[in-house]
Amino acid sequence: MARPDKAAAVAELTDQFRSSNAAVLTEYRGLTVAQLKQLRRSLGENAQYAVVKNTLTKIAANEAGINALDDLFTGPTAVAFVTGDPVESAKGLRDFAKDNPNLIIKGGVLDGKALSADEIKKLADLESREVLLSKLAGAMKGKQTQAAQLFQALPSKFVRTAEALRAKKEEQGGAGTPAPAEAAE
């Protein structure tokens, strides 16, 4: 029978897996306590970095419906549970790993989909959600402006064309045929 403290730890980890958008598994071997504290700060407010026991975390992940991480639970493992923007946390991990080569990103999960270490690095290269949304809004606004200009151009072009046709008809009518008063004489 499982001990109550281990059962409670599994239940807590299961809740963290279920409530987070993403989870990134890392190996922290060789990092000091001060470096781990610095890493926790670099992840941002929406991430929690926890050193975990592999067996209990593997059980918790499986209970949360995440089976793709089973091979990553080897060696000293810590998990970054991300509840906010996963790009911000991935950037924090990537930047910290550049300065501290002892931190190794093993892989993770994003919205239920397993990610390799390379995919997490690609995620870190993305711009934040707010920047991407503002770029999308700017592109949509630009297309709306182009459409408005096109719709404004059509009536004015029609008016110019009609005026040019009227002027041409007047020219042809005045020079080629005699006026009705001249014909009566």
Side-chain angles (χ1 to χ4, degrees):
M1 193 90 197
R3 291 190 350 218
D5 57 337
K6 288 185 178 183
V10 169
E12 183 180 340
L13 288 169
T14 303
D15 287 343
Q16 286 183 315
F17 273 114
R18 287 184 179 149
S19 65
S20 60
N21 312 2
V24 180
L25 275 65
T26 62
E27 183 176 320
Y28 64 92
R29 186 185 328 236
L31 293 177
T32 64
V33 173
Q35 289 172 324
L36 287 173
K37 200 180 275 190
Q38 180 186 0
L39 173 60
R40 285 185 175 101
R41 274 190 240 116
S42 70
L43 288 177
E45 298 174 5
N46 298 322
Q48 182 183 5
Y49 190 74
V51 174
V52 295
K53 292 188 179 217
N54 288 332
T55 308
L56 300 179
T57 309
K58 185 176 182 179
I59 293 168
N62 288 334
E63 285 183 11
I66 302 168
N67 300 322
L69 303 177
D70 288 351
D71 297 338
L72 302 178
F73 292 112
T74 57
T77 304
V79 181
F81 293 103
V82 182
T83 55
D85 186 12
V87 174
E88 178 186 349
S89 298
K91 284 182 184 190
L93 284 168
R94 178 199 60 194
D95 295 343
F96 187 85
K98 281 181 187 176
D99 297 336
N100 301 287
N102 287 335
L103 180 74
I104 299 168
I105 299 172
K106 295 180 179 183
V109 64
L110 174 65
D111 293 328
K113 182 188 176 288
L115 299 176
S116 68
D118 290 334
E119 290 172 324
I120 291 172
K121 290 175 185 169
K122 287 179 186 176
L123 181 67
D125 292 336
L126 288 177
E127 293 173 335
S128 70
R129 183 177 188 272
E130 291 78 20
V131 171
L132 291 174
L133 288 174
S134 66
K135 284 185 176 185
L136 178 64
M140 290 173 67
K141 182 180 177 188
K143 293 297 179 188
Q144 289 174 345
T145 303
Q146 288 176 343
Q149 290 171 349
L150 176 68
F151 292 138
Q152 288 175 349
L154 289 174
S156 64
K157 189 173 183 180
F158 175 75
V159 169
R160 286 194 305 269
T161 304
E163 183 61 31
L165 285 172
R166 188 193 60 75
K168 187 174 183 181
K169 205 170 204 181
E170 253 182 37
E171 272 182 29
Q172 289 176 348
T177 56
E182 294 175 6
E185 289 179 10

